[in-house]
Amino acid sequence: MATVMDAQSSPFVVAKETHKEDLGGGISRQILGYGPEIMIVRVWFEKGAVGDVHSHRHSQASYVESGKFEVFIDGEKRVLEAGDSFCIKPHLDHGAVCLEAGVLLDTFSPLREDFLGEGS
C-alpha cells in the first residue's frame, strides 16, 4: 500500500479538469500538484472570508494572484495586493482576511498530507 510520502500528482494538472473543494466561509481550494516534498494549491476567497489564524509544520510561500488581503504572520499584519507574496516558517501563527475578493497560490514544503485526507 502506498503511503503519503509516496504521494505524487500527475505530471500535468489541467485546472479546468481538477476538483475545486468548497471549504465553507467563502473559501475554496484546488490542489494543482504535489510530490512528497512540495505542494501547490490555488485558494479562492470571497470578500470578507477569513483564513483563521493557525500554524503547521510546513514551510509556506504564497503569491497573491488577485484581490487584496490583510495577512497576519507571527504578530505582524500587512495588507498585500496582486503581485505581492509572503513566506511563513514552520510553526508560526498566521492567517488572512480577504479585503477584496481574490486568489492566493500557496506552496508548501513538504506536502500538506491533511489536504489529501490522510491526516497531518
Side-chain angles (χ1 to χ4, degrees), residues 3 14 51 53 80 120:
T3 67
V14 178
V53 174
L80 301 176
S120 55

Side-chain angles (χ1 to χ4, degrees), residues 16 25 27 31 41 46 48-49 52 54 59-61 65 78-79 82 85 92 95 102-103 108 110 114-115 118:
K16 67 183 177 184
I27 302 173
I31 298 173
V41 179
E46 295 175 8
D52 292 327
H54 64 287
S59 295
Q60 178 177 340
E65 181 179 291
R78 296 285 302 265
V79 174
S85 61
L92 289 184
V103 177
F108 301 97
D114 52 325
F115 286 11
E118 301 192 29

Side-chain angles (χ1 to χ4, degrees), residues 98-110:
C98 184
L99 304 176
E100 294 177 8
V103 177
L104 297 178
L105 288 177
D106 292 337
T107 304
F108 301 97
S109 180

Side-chain angles (χ1 to χ4, degrees), residues 33-111:
Y34 59 91
E37 297 301 320
I38 196 163
M39 174 180 269
I40 186 166
V41 179
R42 178 178 284 135
V43 187
W44 288 264
F45 288 79
E46 295 175 8
K47 182 178 180 176
V50 176
D52 292 327
V53 174
H54 64 287
S55 65
H56 44 73
R57 67 181 186 90
H58 312 83
S59 295
Q60 178 177 340
S62 297
Y63 173 76
V64 182
E65 181 179 291
S66 62
K68 183 186 280 189
F69 296 84
E70 180 182 69
V71 178
F72 168 86
I73 303 171
D74 195 33
E76 183 179 354
K77 288 183 183 179
R78 296 285 302 265
V79 174
L80 301 176
E81 300 179 359
D84 297 336
S85 61
F86 55 96
C87 294
I88 306 162
K89 292 180 183 178
H91 307 291
L92 289 184
D93 287 339
H94 61 281
V97 176
C98 184
L99 304 176
E100 294 177 8
V103 177
L104 297 178
L105 288 177
D106 292 337
T107 304
F108 301 97
S109 180
L111 72 89

